[in-house]
Amino acid sequence: MQRRLLPVLDAAVAEMSARQHRHLTGVHEVDTIARRLKRVPLTTGRPPGEATRRNGQDNVRTLRWNQGPGTSFRSPHAEVKVSRAEFSGIEITCSHLTADMAEAVLRALTASLPAAAPAAELAA
């Protein structure tokens, strides 16, 4: 009996470990992008809570930019949602961004990327 159960149990543990690794990789990717976006001035966002972690939904982060002095977390705001889809990679959804906010988001996201072409080539 032990010979029949151990291979099945080993396969189940391996699958569980692989799924946990994929999930933690997704959480790390989302956190990395959220940290980049938090560099934009006046950004607010809450890290995932314990209940979110327990439910396996900690691979989504929402950041907001309040629009105006004296506003609260519930005031009208611009929003960027960063999530990890299982098969399609990182998904970034923006809503209610002004042109300046959109530029700031793009700068924050591309700050660590290598330049695609030298500036002299772009000017030509």
Side-chain angles (χ1 to χ4, degrees), residues 1-63:
M1 178 144 173
Q2 188 176 14
R3 289 183 188 168
R4 288 185 295 174
L5 289 178
L6 284 179
V8 173
L9 183 61
D10 288 342
V13 168
E15 175 64 23
M16 183 182 69
S17 295
R19 285 183 183 193
Q20 184 177 25
H21 177 72
R22 283 192 305 270
H23 177 77
L24 292 176
T25 299
V27 169
H28 175 71
E29 290 172 348
V30 168
D31 283 344
T32 299
I33 292 173
R35 276 195 303 276
R36 287 184 194 168
L37 290 171
K38 290 278 285 191
R39 295 179 189 146
V40 176
L42 303 175
T43 303
T44 59
R46 297 180 180 149
E50 188 57 37
T52 305
R53 283 190 191 95
R54 277 195 307 267
N55 293 334
Q57 298 171 343
D58 53 347
N59 56 358
V60 176
R61 295 288 301 274
T62 302
L63 302 170

